[in-house]
């Protein structure tokens, strides 16, 4: 019997020229400078004298088609039918007529899309999939982000921080959310619970053994069946064994805790790019609003806002005042868990007489 | 008319507050779709029990080995083994590559919506952390017809699993005066070169490209890309006296000293009387008023972008543009997160041939990775294991002092090839002169 004819995919990665706003296409590679007339609006001037205004608005990232169509209606009316998205899921409208900026902002805000996220604001949180779609989520992502952005709404709409503040949220230590000035990451705190009945059927045991970064997993015979065992003293609860072997359950409603990290920065401006560092852990996974997490994020932001100098990112500010002062000013306790003991950790220790009192 | 909503007291709380709510969006979709009614029930169950309930599997489209993220429910009735939320028992995602810079026209977005309303849940994430457009929520049966229509529009599927992944580029030359190369062109050429490695996963692990037009690195490439292409320039910074004076008139001397001069990481900036500005090929200056200038020693500048960010237009990237290439950024578990390392301090990106050379370098790096990395090992981990020198020799790049923060400090090294290496480098220098 003949198989139904399957359509072969067309493999081709597209050019973006046809999607560009006409003024962007006309001035491609020929921009001279930009300024920010108000929060949420960028004004770019070309060497030809052409000008465009970009209006940036926050979205919920996971959008239903009705929301996207509404955003398109607004683009058709005010922005010549073109939009772009930022890496943090903000939407940008580009308009070539300054007179349309005000009505565009009004239309966005009337429909519930806050305008902001530019310059020294707290931008939308880069985040992961969480309980909505991930296969190894310790927590949700969209919900945590919604709670955080509700609390930081005014900081998104205003440019009142010393420098830009970028946040991220990740639903496990793999940290798909990325590095940020403040990152919220769930942390597994107990070794995996093994369902020995399933291991032999589901898992390729040598692959799981090889996956462990601290060699804590060994093959074992349990109840007469081939399985795996974990040296719980060695285990760092990273969860890397779970994806290749789901019977090694790492998620735990009670013992999966949230942690907060600060001082990550991807820009090369001033200092080199840096990873974020641990400043708080053990926070409860407390849906739907995660108030304990929000309180600490807010406290860190308030301290940074009050204490940092203009243009200092979170990392630059901490570099200047030092970590002891960071913990003092934010009131967060410094614990033994913050002293790195991973590979290369001695580079993070203080080999000097530089001490702050 | 869809079935009755499950009670969702916890999710309901995420409809309050000023930020746009994804829950409100889901409820709007649930009015017409049993699929989303059950998805909301599924998610509420996670909120109640604080656990996730999706497991992976294998779902794909004809001709490709990756690009669909399969999800099957694990919430099953204890007695019957049947899914509790049967209409949302399958919730697969299609990863689709966005245009460079994530620019769209509304006709395209509306067509996406029509397709996803017809075949999927109606939920689209713009965009996932890999940069893909995530068409979230589809049954196994509907994956192929949805994909066929998206592909007919001219869009291709992104990477998943041990493959070259969907790449990302910043807004770039389309709207940014700091852009130092044609990011969209580099992005497009590289992705088109690696389509086979994107669609048919056959590498040791994932490999990501990201393109940022300047050191501000808006695409987070140094931290997240196995190969990061970061725009930069070699000659003197561009200056504009008129915009310099305008900036100074608005901001004044205190801000110039505190926010610009003092924040230069290499102390390449000084305020001087214009008549005292040094006359040298690598010195440039921008006027701040009729008698004073900001002097820039471009030999000391590391193109960090800070002063240009503060005084946009008054200062700008130079004309001799290209990119710095870094390799090995990643955030994965084995050795902790690693930043990319400089492997090419400067690569010209002006002519078509320059871009071809970039693609050639990328191909060399991916080939070396494919042959030498261990299973489930990222490029950065491989480089840590074998050492940067072996990696450089493997892809045929010469060492450069820009690749390190400082030379080695530990004495345990064999140097019996020293004389030959010095001779080789000197010969190469002479040949180039």
């Amino acid at each position: 019997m003949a198989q139904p004819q399957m359509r072969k995919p067309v493999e081709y990665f597209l050019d973006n020229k046809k999607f560009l706003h006409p003024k962007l296409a006309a001035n491609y590679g020929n921009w001279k400078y930009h300024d920010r007339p108000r929060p949420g609006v960028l004004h770019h001037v070309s060497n030809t004298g052409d000008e465009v205004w970009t209006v940036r608005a926050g979205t919920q990232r996971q959008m239903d088609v009705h929301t996207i169509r509404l955003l398109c209606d607004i683009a058709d009316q005010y922005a010549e039918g073109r939009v772009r998205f930022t890496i943090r899921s903000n939407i940008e409208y580009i308009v070539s007529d300054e007179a349309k900026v005000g009505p565009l902002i009004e239309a966005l805000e009337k429909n519930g899309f806050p305008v902001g996220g530019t310059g020294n604001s707290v931008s939308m949180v880069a985040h992961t999939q969480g309980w909505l779609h991930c296969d190894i989520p310790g927590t949700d992502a969209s919900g945590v982000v919604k709670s955080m952005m509700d609390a930081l709404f005014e900081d998104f709409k205003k440019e009142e921080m010393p420098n830009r503040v970028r946040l991220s949220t990740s639903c496990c230590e793999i940290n798909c959310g990325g590095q940020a000035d403040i990152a919220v990451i769930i942390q597994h705190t107990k070794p995996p619970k093994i369902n020995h009945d399933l291991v032999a059927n589901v898992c390729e045991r040598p692959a799981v053994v090889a996956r462990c970064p601290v060699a804590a997993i060994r093959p074992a015979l349990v109840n007469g069946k081939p399985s795996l065992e974990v040296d719980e003293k060695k285990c760092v609860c990273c969860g890397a064994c779970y994806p290749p072997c789901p019977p090694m359950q790492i998620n735990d409603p009670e013992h999966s805790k949230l942690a907060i990290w600060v001082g990550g920065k991807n820009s090369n401006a001033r200092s080199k790019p840096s990873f974020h560092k641990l400043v708080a852990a053990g926070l409860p996974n407390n849906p739907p609003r995660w108030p304990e997490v929000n309180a600490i994020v807010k406290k860190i932001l308030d301290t940074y806002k009050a204490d940092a100098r203009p243009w200092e990112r979170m990392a630059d500010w901490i570099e200047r005042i030092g970590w002891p002062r960071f913990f003092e000013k934010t009131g967060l306790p410094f614990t033994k868990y913050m002293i790195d003991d991973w590979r290369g950790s001695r580079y993070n220790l203080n080999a000097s007489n530089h001490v702050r009192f | 008319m869809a079935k009755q909503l499950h009670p969702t007291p916890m999710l309901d709380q995420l409809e309050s507050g000023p930020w746009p709510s994804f829950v409100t969006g889901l409820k709007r979709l649930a009015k017409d779709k049993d699929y989303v009614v059950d998805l909301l029930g599924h998610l509420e169950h996670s909120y109640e029990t604080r656990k996730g309930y999706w497991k992976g599997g294998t779902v794909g489209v004809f001709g490709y080995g990756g690009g669909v993220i399969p999800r099957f429910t694990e919430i099953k009735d204890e007695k019957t083994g049947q899914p509790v939320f049967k209409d949302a028992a399958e919730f697969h995602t299609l990863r689709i590559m966005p245009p460079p810079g994530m620019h769209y026209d509304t006709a395209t977005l509306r067509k996406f919506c029509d397709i996803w309303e017809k075949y999927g849940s109606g939920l689209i994430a713009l965009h996932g952390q890999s940069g893909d457009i995530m068409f979230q929520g589809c049954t196994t049966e509907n994956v192929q017809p949805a994909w066929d229509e998206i592909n007919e529009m001219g869009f291709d599927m992104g990477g998943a699993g041990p493959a070259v992944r969907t790449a990302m580029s910043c807004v770039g030359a389309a709207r940014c005066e700091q852009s130092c190369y044609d990011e969209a062109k580099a992005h497009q050429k590289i992705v088109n070169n690696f389509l086979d490695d994107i669609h048919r996963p056959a590498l040791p692990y994932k490999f990501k490209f990201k393109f940022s037009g300047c050191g501000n690195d808006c695409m987070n490439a140094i931290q997240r890309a196995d190969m990061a292409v970061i725009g930069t320039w070699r000659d003197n910074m561009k200056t504009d006296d008129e915009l310099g004076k305008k900036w100074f008139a608005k901001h004044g001397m205190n801000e110039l000293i505190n926010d610009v001069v003092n924040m230069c990481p290499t102390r390449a900036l000084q305020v001087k009387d214009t008549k005292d500005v040094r006359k040298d090929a690598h010195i440039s200056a921008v006027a701040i008023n009729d008698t004073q200038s900001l002097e820039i020693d471009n030999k000391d500048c590391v193109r960090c972008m800070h002063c240009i960010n503060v005084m946009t237009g008054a200062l700008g990237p130079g004309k001799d543009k290209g990119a710095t290439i870094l390799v090995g950024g990643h955030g994965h578990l084995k050795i902790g997160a690693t930043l990319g390392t400089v492997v090419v301090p400067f690569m010209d990106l002006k002519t078509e041939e320059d871009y071809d050379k970039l693609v050639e370098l990328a191909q060399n790096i991916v080939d070396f990775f494919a042959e030498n990395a261990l299973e489930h090992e990222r490029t950065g981990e491989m480089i840590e294991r074998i050492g940067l020198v072996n990696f450089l020799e493997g892809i045929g790049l010469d060492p450069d002092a820009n690749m390190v923060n400082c030379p080695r400090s530990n004495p345990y090294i064999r140097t019996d090839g020293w004389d030959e290496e010095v001779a080789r480098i000197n010969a190469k220098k002479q040949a180039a002169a």
Side-chain angles (χ1 to χ4, degrees):
Chain A
M1 210 170 76
Q3 289 287 317
Q5 195 65 41
M6 297 291 281
R7 177 185 166 280
K8 271 186 81 172
V10 182
E11 295 186 61
Y12 178 71
F13 183 65
L14 71 182
D15 191 352
N16 69 358
K17 293 290 184 296
K18 67 172 175 168
F19 299 114
L20 297 180
H21 183 281
K23 277 271 169 74
L24 298 195
N27 294 284
Y28 197 89
N30 199 22
W31 296 99
K32 184 170 170 63
Y33 74 97
H34 78 278
D35 52 23
R36 300 194 310 278
R38 55 151 278 177
V41 181
L42 310 171
H43 166 231
H44 284 83
V45 180
S46 152
N47 284 316
T48 64
D50 273 358
E51 294 172 272
V52 292
W53 287 262
T54 300
V55 177
R56 185 180 291 176
T59 76
Q60 59 272 56
R61 189 176 99 142
Q62 251 92 230
M63 289 186 281
D64 62 297
V65 291
H66 308 294
T67 298
I68 297 173
R69 286 181 186 132
L70 178 59
L71 290 168
C72 286
D73 290 343
I74 296 171
D76 287 340
Q77 192 175 349
Y78 300 99
E80 289 131 296
R82 299 296 204 287
V83 299
R84 75 172 288 270
F85 288 89
T86 69
I87 192 172
R88 317 191 93 75
S89 302
N90 299 305
I91 191 167
E92 290 186 339
Y93 292 87
I94 290 117
V95 298
S96 41
D97 178 3
E98 191 180 6
K100 285 187 178 165
V101 171
L104 169 58
I105 291 172
E106 205 174 305
L108 284 165
E109 300 216 309
K110 195 181 79 195
N111 285 292
F113 302 104
V115 170
T118 51
N120 300 349
S121 66
V122 176
S123 194
M124 165 65 170
V125 184
H127 70 92
T128 56
Q129 307 271 27
W131 287 327
L132 181 70
H133 192 259
C134 182
D135 61 342
I136 45 169
T139 188
D140 198 24
S142 329
V144 180
V145 167
K146 161 72 177 151
S147 306
M148 277 166 70
M149 290 313 294
D150 278 343
L152 303 174
F153 192 70
E154 290 303 315
D155 297 311
F156 176 86
K157 293 184 55 152
K158 294 173 183 162
E159 296 179 346
E160 292 180 349
M161 289 289 162
N163 199 343
R164 61 202 64 224
V165 179
R166 299 294 177 251
L167 306 184
S168 75
T169 298
S170 291
C171 39
C172 81
E173 285 110 308
I174 293 171
N175 189 27
C176 301
Q179 299 290 325
D181 293 287
I182 305 180
V184 178
I185 303 175
I186 201 154
Q187 197 105 28
H188 304 300
T189 63
K190 297 286 177 201
K193 286 182 196 144
I194 308 179
N195 184 340
H196 294 289
D197 293 336
L198 298 178
V199 171
N201 301 337
V202 180
C203 317
E204 197 185 326
R205 293 190 304 156
V208 185
V209 169
R211 192 69 67 90
C212 180
V214 290
I217 303 174
R218 292 182 295 252
L221 212 59
V222 182
N223 304 327
K225 283 187 186 168
S227 188
L228 295 161
E229 64 182 14
V230 173
D231 181 339
E232 300 206 347
K233 280 205 179 117
K234 277 190 189 171
C235 177
V236 290
C237 310
C238 72
C241 53
Y242 177 83
C245 189
M248 301 186 76
Q249 184 57 253
I250 188 78
N251 277 327
D252 182 309
E254 193 193 334
H255 297 294
S256 291
K257 302 286 188 182
L258 287 100
I260 294 178
W261 307 65
V262 309
K265 132 182 191 301
N266 55 301
S267 162
N268 292 263
R270 300 168 303 281
S271 48
K272 292 180 179 181
S274 61
F275 287 129
H276 49 226
K277 284 104 186 155
L278 180 67
V279 296
L283 302 164
N285 190 10
N286 199 359
R289 284 284 176 180
W290 292 270
E292 299 83 358
V293 171
N294 272 325
I296 293 185
V297 168
K298 192 86 177 114
K299 174 72 186 160
I300 294 170
L301 273 174
D302 288 347
T303 313
Y304 164 70
K305 186 177 175 180
D307 200 58
R309 293 176 183 165
W311 291 95
E312 280 181 340
R313 281 285 285 268
M314 188 79 67
D316 302 320
W317 166 59
I318 298 169
E319 179 69 28
R320 177 170 60 80
I321 67 169
W323 285 100
R325 193 84 72 241
F326 171 86
F327 285 101
E328 190 185 302
K329 283 180 188 280
T330 54
L332 295 167
F334 181 85
T335 70
K336 66 178 182 180
Y337 297 101
M338 287 148 190
I339 299 178
D340 195 357
D341 57 2
W342 199 247
R343 219 176 284 188
S345 61
R346 290 192 63 87
Y347 292 104
N348 293 334
L349 308 181
N350 182 8
S352 75
N353 194 36
H354 296 196
V355 170
R356 303 206 190 211
F357 300 104
Chain B
M1 190 61 201
K3 64 182 180 183
Q4 178 114 29
L5 286 173
H6 304 283
T8 52
M10 292 185 103
L11 290 176
D12 293 350
Q13 293 184 50
L14 291 172
E15 288 196 273
S16 63
W19 193 259
S21 171
F22 71 105
V23 175
T24 305
L26 283 172
K27 284 190 178 173
R28 217 152 28 206
L29 291 169
K31 281 187 190 142
D32 311 309
K33 283 179 180 282
D34 291 353
Y35 193 32
V36 182
V37 172
D38 271 10
L39 175 68
L40 279 162
H42 201 280
L43 189 56
E44 178 75 13
H45 187 68
S46 279
Y47 270 69
E48 280 165 11
T49 58
R50 290 183 280 162
K51 273 183 78 173
Y53 295 97
W54 296 111
K55 64 170 181 188
T58 46
V59 176
V61 296
F62 178 69
Y64 287 179
V68 180
I69 313 297
R71 292 291 178 252
F72 298 92
T73 183
E74 280 188 309
I75 309 176
K76 303 273 176 70
D77 184 287
E78 274 179 31
K79 284 180 203 141
T80 64
Q82 292 302 304
V84 173
F85 299 101
K86 62 179 172 47
D87 287 315
E90 299 178 341
F91 194 72
H92 315 317
T93 283
L94 271 65
R95 283 187 174 172
I96 301 296
M97 292 194 278
M102 295 167 178
H103 300 269
Y104 297 97
D105 58 35
T106 52
T108 300
L109 290 175
R110 287 181 199 280
K111 209 159 170 202
F112 283 159
C113 290
D114 294 345
I115 293 170
W116 207 237
E117 194 166 45
K118 185 169 159 196
Y119 296 109
S121 69
L123 195 65
I124 305 175
L126 294 155
H127 299 80
Q129 286 305 102
S130 294
D132 292 281
I133 311 162
M134 308 287 273
F135 287 85
Q136 294 181 303
C138 190
T139 59
T140 305
E141 186 182 28
N142 279 350
V143 165
Q144 185 70 43
W147 157 242
D148 284 341
E149 289 199 22
I150 293 167
N151 190 217
E152 292 285 350
M153 289 174 67
F155 282 81
D156 204 348
M157 206 169 253
V164 170
R165 294 298 188 85
T166 300
M168 291 170 96
S169 51
C170 61
V171 65
R175 199 201 56 203
C176 185
E177 71 274 14
Q178 330 287 33
S179 161
C180 289
Y181 66 100
D182 189 339
E183 303 82 4
K185 183 189 188 124
H187 183 166
Q188 194 190 352
K189 282 192 95 134
I190 285 199
V191 168
N192 273 318
N193 182 70
F194 285 102
L195 284 173
D196 193 49
D197 286 305
I198 290 174
H199 297 140
R200 293 160 199 94
L203 296 176
Y205 200 20
K206 62 183 89 163
F207 193 100
K208 296 183 179 180
F209 292 99
K210 292 191 198 296
F211 305 88
S212 284
C214 77
N216 285 322
D217 193 6
C218 290
M219 285 298 102
N220 217 340
I222 294 174
Q223 284 162 343
R224 309 191 69 159
D226 297 279
M227 177 166 159
V229 182
I230 311 288
T232 191
W233 66 95
R234 274 192 298 203
D235 56 346
N236 292 347
M237 228 182 262
K238 260 192 292 196
T239 56
D240 185 303
D241 288 342
E242 193 193 326
L243 290 172
K245 287 178 182 174
K246 204 170 140 192
W247 185 92
F248 187 78
K250 191 171 168 198
H251 296 271
M253 189 57 88
N254 291 354
E255 279 191 37
L256 181 68
I257 298 297
N258 293 331
D259 299 355
V260 184
V261 176
N262 281 353
M263 286 189 137
C264 171
T266 53
R267 295 180 288 281
L269 307 178
Q270 294 181 77
V271 178
K272 289 200 170 167
D273 288 338
T274 304
K275 64 179 172 47
D276 296 333
V277 169
R278 282 180 286 167
K279 304 274 182 289
D280 216 326
H282 56 87
I283 302 290
S284 53
V286 61
I288 52 170
N289 56 37
D290 291 341
T291 57
Q292 289 168 296
S293 293
L294 182 64
E295 181 193 278
I296 305 143
D297 187 334
N298 288 280
K299 280 279 178 211
D300 285 338
C301 171
V302 289
R303 283 89 183 151
C304 89
M305 299 303 295
H306 173 74
C307 62
I308 295 178
N309 291 341
V310 182
M311 300 176 71
T312 154
L315 301 172
K319 287 185 193 136
D320 184 11
K321 290 175 177 177
T324 301
I325 316 288
L326 297 93
V327 171
H330 84 302
H332 204 59
L333 290 157
K334 263 286 165 52
I335 60 170
T338 58
L339 295 162
T341 301
V342 171
V343 298
V344 180
F346 186 84
M347 185 176 226
D348 264 313
L349 284 176
K350 298 181 188 84
T351 64
E352 202 64 30
E353 292 72 39
D354 293 338
Y355 285 84
D356 289 340
K357 277 187 195 154
L358 179 71
V359 174
E360 200 180 308
L361 174 72
Q363 186 69 57
N364 284 344
I365 290 173
V366 170
D367 286 349
F368 184 88
F369 169 67
E371 282 165 26
N372 294 284
L374 303 176
E375 145 88 8
H376 211 256
E377 185 178 60
R378 288 284 289 273
T379 312
E381 295 165 320
M382 174 191 73
I383 291 175
E384 162 143 329
R385 179 170 54 79
I386 68 174
L388 183 66
V389 171
N390 282 321
F391 176 74
L392 293 172
E393 285 177 358
I395 56 173
L397 291 172
D398 267 335
D400 186 297
N402 283 303
M403 293 172 183
V404 296
N405 286 328
C406 63
R408 75 159 59 229
S409 54
N410 90 65
Y412 297 114
I413 167 107
R414 273 180 71 162
T415 55
D416 42 3
W418 179 268
D419 291 343
E420 291 84 348
E421 188 62 7
V422 170
R424 188 184 71 81
I425 286 171
N426 285 342
K428 199 158 179 176
K429 261 192 210 161
Q430 268 179 349

